[in-house]
Amino acid sequence: MAKKKILVIEDDSELRELIRIRLEESDFEVIMSLRGDEGVEMAREENPDAIILDVFLPHMDGFTALKEIRYGEKSKGKEPLKDIPVFVMTGRAPMMEEMFRLEGATEFLTKPIDIKLLVQKLEKILKNS
Amino acid sequence: MENRYQNEALNLLVVEDNEDHVFLVLKTLQRSFSKAKIEIARNLAEALIKIKEVRYHLILADYNLPDGNGLGILRQLNLEKSEIPFVMLTGAGDEKLAVEAMQEGAYDYLVKDELCLKTLAKTLEAALVKCEERKEKERLQNEVREKNLALERANEELKKLDRLKSEFIASVSHEFRTPLNSVRESVSLIADGAVKVGEPKGTRVLEILKNNIERLKILIEDLLDFSKLEAGRMKLDKNFHDPVDIVCEVADSMKQIAQKKGLILLWESELSGVEVFADKSRIVQVLMNLVENAIKFTPSPGQITILCRAEGDATIKIIVKDTGIGIAKEDLLRVFEKFEQVRRNHPGVDVRGTGLGLAISKQLVELHGGTIGVESELGKGSEFYFALPMVLREEKSI
């Protein structure tokens, strides 16, 4: 069976690297971006199975990126990704959680996140899909 | 008869066409207001010209004038929003007119009869007092209004500062959470046996762990420095130092970090025989901050140059010049502001920190009696500099 592909959009290079190590240890394929706009582009082009999305990102913030992923224009003949699981992580107060949930975030996690637990949740969701 | 305006240099205008009445009124007024200058206008037109030329303290006008009536004067005064007290004289049986005048803003009225001259001075005195009271009331109201405005402005200012502080605390907590996440995950990867110490991946994870602990340490130090500076409790341990030593020390310690990012770090000095009277650790901190920023915002390949030179004969200037991404004109003024982090959106630039570094540097330089500044253009690199008072080596023994 082919490896499941996870897109990680996070602007902190070291945290991004740690997430990649953890995901690869759990036998996922990992693609990464440090920018919101580029991340959205990769979500459309690379058909990942799930997305891990930070909120404070250069060029396009995570909230806008999530909306783009869910309802974005049919650019280059690609359909909006209505069903892909998106795990949102942020360092800010949880008051934004409702906002993100409404726009279709699968999980809303506040840093510091237990990434091992996040990976377990990913595995569960992707096994059912 | 006593009256409080007896000896005041008042300007009074009497508007009256009947010569007998003019004579009687003048005589009465001169007795009661001995220092007053009293002018007579004999018709409405003359009165209107006079009130344009002179600022009277009071106007006493007959209702019946050859070319109109006394209300014309009152209306003109109202039109000019003038506060000059206006007292109306009317013939006996014309009280209706007096009421009309009062409605239009006359201070008082007098009916021409035998008693009129006896009460004239008292009536005018009362009008003058009333005018002063009105002015005083208005002055107090204005004062209250201005004080309210000032309070409102101060309140707005405080609210703005409070909002900035709340935003600042939220963003600082965010800045703590990301490195904390890296620390947590590094430890967890090792503890779970997902990576092994001694193997390349494990070594890398340990390195990330170390870096992020260092980042947290710097964040805490920045916050402590900042709160000390804000409270005015920053103490400097000043001594005489060669600025070239400071530049050399910082350049040495930053060289490797620059090289690792593919940048060249150079320093040059034109100084000799001069010193600064300063807290060395704080000046090192300022220069480190400028060099770290230069490294952060300069993509590889690039160059950072620290220059050390005299400015006139009383100041030394240390310049940190980079070939980096530069700063937009509209952001230049904000870079030294506290709570302001000018987030420079640029690929390959990892923006980290509290956004307090430059605000701290500015306050530290100013505590030393120096100045700090920046020149930059987007895409063409930045030049941060600070200047400190110079001490000649021989001077210090005097």
Side-chain angles (χ1 to χ4, degrees):
Chain A
M1 201 174 77
K3 283 185 181 181
K4 300 277 186 190
K5 196 197 281 181
I6 312 295
L7 169 60
V8 179
I9 311 172
E10 158 69 57
D11 67 336
D12 186 279
S13 60
E14 290 180 336
L15 184 57
R16 201 168 60 229
E17 192 176 341
L18 293 171
I19 296 172
R20 182 175 57 86
I21 291 172
R22 174 70 80 180
L23 284 167
E24 283 174 356
E25 286 304 314
S26 306
D27 221 26
F28 286 103
E29 184 188 343
V30 182
I31 51 174
M32 305 194 291
S33 173
L34 56 89
R35 290 170 51 160
D37 53 348
E38 188 189 74
V40 170
E41 219 32 57
M42 284 172 82
R44 286 179 183 148
E45 302 292 325
E46 307 265 345
N47 298 317
D49 294 288
I51 299 169
I52 297 174
L53 176 66
D54 188 22
V55 174
F56 290 93
L57 295 165
H59 294 281
M60 183 191 282
D61 65 86
F63 189 63
T64 314
L66 177 63
K67 284 196 289 187
E68 272 297 307
I69 290 165
R70 287 280 185 245
Y71 320 107
E73 297 275 309
K74 293 182 182 181
S75 70
K76 297 169 199 162
K78 301 272 178 187
E79 291 293 322
L81 305 164
K82 291 226 188 291
D83 303 318
I84 186 170
V86 179
F87 290 75
V88 176
M89 42 182 200
T90 178
R92 290 271 169 123
M95 58 187 238
M96 292 194 301
E97 175 162 358
E98 199 52 36
M99 249 165 67
F100 275 91
R101 293 256 187 222
L102 281 172
E103 299 300 342
T106 312
E107 285 269 352
F108 186 89
L109 308 149
T110 303
K111 287 179 184 175
I113 292 156
D114 185 339
I115 297 169
K116 190 178 175 186
L117 202 69
L118 167 65
V119 171
Q120 283 167 0
K121 283 179 179 168
L122 263 176
E123 283 170 334
K124 206 173 143 199
I125 269 189
L126 294 178
K127 204 159 79 184
N128 294 341
S129 69
Chain B
M1 230 192 329
E2 274 306 307
N3 98 54
R4 57 196 278 188
Y5 299 97
Q6 183 81 45
N7 294 313
E8 296 228 3
L10 297 171
N11 272 324
L12 306 178
L13 178 65
V14 176
V15 189
E16 174 64 81
D17 60 325
N18 183 317
E19 284 306 324
D20 291 343
H21 293 171
V22 169
F23 176 75
L24 289 170
V25 166
L26 262 182
K27 242 176 95 177
T28 310
L29 291 185
Q30 276 159 354
R31 209 169 38 235
S32 298
F33 303 97
S34 53
K35 296 275 161 58
K37 189 176 165 217
I38 305 168
E39 290 185 34
I40 314 291
R42 285 179 170 80
N43 55 51
L44 178 61
E46 200 184 330
L48 291 178
I49 293 169
K50 277 186 180 292
I51 62 170
K52 276 210 165 66
E53 287 167 352
V54 183
R55 254 198 82 74
Y56 293 103
H57 293 97
L58 183 141
I59 297 166
L60 174 69
D62 190 12
Y63 180 82
N64 288 308
L65 296 169
D67 55 345
N69 66 55
L71 281 182
I73 301 166
L74 183 55
R75 286 179 187 138
Q76 183 59 32
L77 292 177
N78 287 341
L79 212 64
E80 290 169 8
K81 295 195 171 25
S82 166
E83 301 283 329
I84 300 170
F86 179 87
V87 178
M88 180 77 130
L89 278 168
T90 62
D94 281 342
E95 282 85 353
K96 257 190 196 160
L97 300 172
V99 172
E100 198 184 334
M102 293 300 281
Q103 278 168 348
E104 295 210 28
Y107 274 59
D108 213 340
Y109 69 95
L110 281 162
V111 179
K112 287 182 184 171
D113 56 22
E114 312 89 81
L115 283 173
C116 165
L117 290 175
K118 287 197 178 129
T119 53
L120 179 62
K122 273 281 156 220
T123 305
L124 298 197
E125 184 189 5
L128 287 163
V129 168
K130 197 163 146 194
C131 175
E132 268 183 27
E133 284 169 354
R134 276 190 194 177
K135 279 186 182 158
E136 178 63 8
K137 194 174 152 199
E138 200 171 318
R139 196 185 61 75
L140 286 173
Q141 276 172 342
N142 276 337
E143 208 174 294
V144 168
R145 204 172 301 134
E146 267 164 38
K147 279 197 176 137
N148 275 341
L149 271 176
L151 276 175
E152 238 167 69
R153 271 196 294 271
N155 193 31
E156 277 308 305
E157 200 53 36
L158 280 174
K159 271 192 201 156
K160 191 184 149 200
L161 207 64
D162 192 53
R163 204 178 52 241
L164 278 173
K165 270 197 175 159
S166 304
E167 280 169 19
F168 170 72
I169 288 166
S171 98
V172 164
S173 98
H174 178 253
E175 294 301 335
F176 272 94
R177 282 170 186 278
T178 298
L180 190 60
N181 211 153
S182 293
V183 168
R184 178 180 185 170
E185 180 58 10
S186 302
V187 171
S188 170
L189 280 169
I190 293 164
D192 295 346
V195 297
K196 286 179 187 60
V197 179
E199 288 175 5
K201 249 187 208 168
T203 308
R204 175 64 189 141
V205 169
L206 271 182
E207 191 186 21
I208 291 175
L209 176 59
K210 237 175 72 189
N211 290 346
N212 283 281
I213 289 170
E214 184 67 18
R215 262 172 80 186
L216 287 171
K217 189 196 93 180
I218 291 168
L219 282 171
I220 290 165
E221 283 173 354
D222 268 11
L223 277 182
L224 288 179
D225 278 354
F226 181 71
S227 72
K228 256 195 231 167
L229 284 162
E230 281 291 281
R233 280 189 287 107
M234 177 63 81
K235 294 218 165 50
L236 296 179
D237 181 15
K238 281 180 166 184
N239 243 310
F240 293 98
H241 298 283
D242 187 338
V244 182
D245 286 348
I246 294 174
V247 169
C248 184
E249 190 180 312
V250 171
D252 274 350
S253 71
M254 300 302 288
K255 204 166 219 159
Q256 269 205 325
I257 298 166
Q259 266 169 9
K260 231 172 146 183
K261 208 191 153 183
L263 304 171
I264 300 166
L265 176 63
L266 299 171
W267 67 273
E268 287 167 26
S269 172
E270 297 166 1
L271 292 177
S272 73
V274 298
E275 298 196 323
V276 289
F277 186 58
D279 183 331
K280 187 178 171 188
S281 67
R282 293 305 181 182
I283 299 305
V284 166
Q285 181 183 350
V286 170
L287 186 55
M288 286 274 242
N289 177 235
L290 297 186
V291 174
E292 275 165 1
N293 281 344
I295 292 173
K296 203 188 284 182
F297 295 109
T298 305
S300 167
Q303 184 173 313
I304 291 144
T305 318
I306 310 172
L307 298 164
C308 204
R309 64 164 77 121
E311 283 268 298
D313 50 12
T315 309
I316 67 122
K317 195 173 180 185
I318 296 176
I319 303 161
V320 178
K321 206 170 141 179
D322 66 48
T323 58
I325 61 177
I327 303 164
K329 208 173 175 184
E330 63 268 23
D331 291 333
L332 269 182
L333 286 172
R334 297 197 295 133
V335 292
F336 294 106
E337 299 267 311
K338 52 196 166 205
F339 308 132
E340 291 277 7
Q341 190 173 26
V342 182
R343 265 192 176 256
R344 285 180 267 188
N345 272 336
H346 203 270
V349 173
D350 224 346
V351 185
R352 292 166 163 181
T354 50
L356 286 179
L358 285 173
I360 291 169
S361 288
K362 180 172 191 269
Q363 294 196 53
L364 285 176
V365 169
E366 284 170 358
L367 265 186
H368 281 87
T371 54
I372 194 165
V374 60
E375 280 163 29
S376 181
E377 206 179 313
L378 210 55
K380 291 194 176 159
S382 304
E383 213 176 297
F384 280 84
Y385 56 85
F386 62 98
L388 296 173
M390 178 199 293
V391 186
L392 293 176
R393 207 155 276 173
E394 310 86 66
E395 260 178 30
K396 66 179 186 192
S397 55
I398 299 166

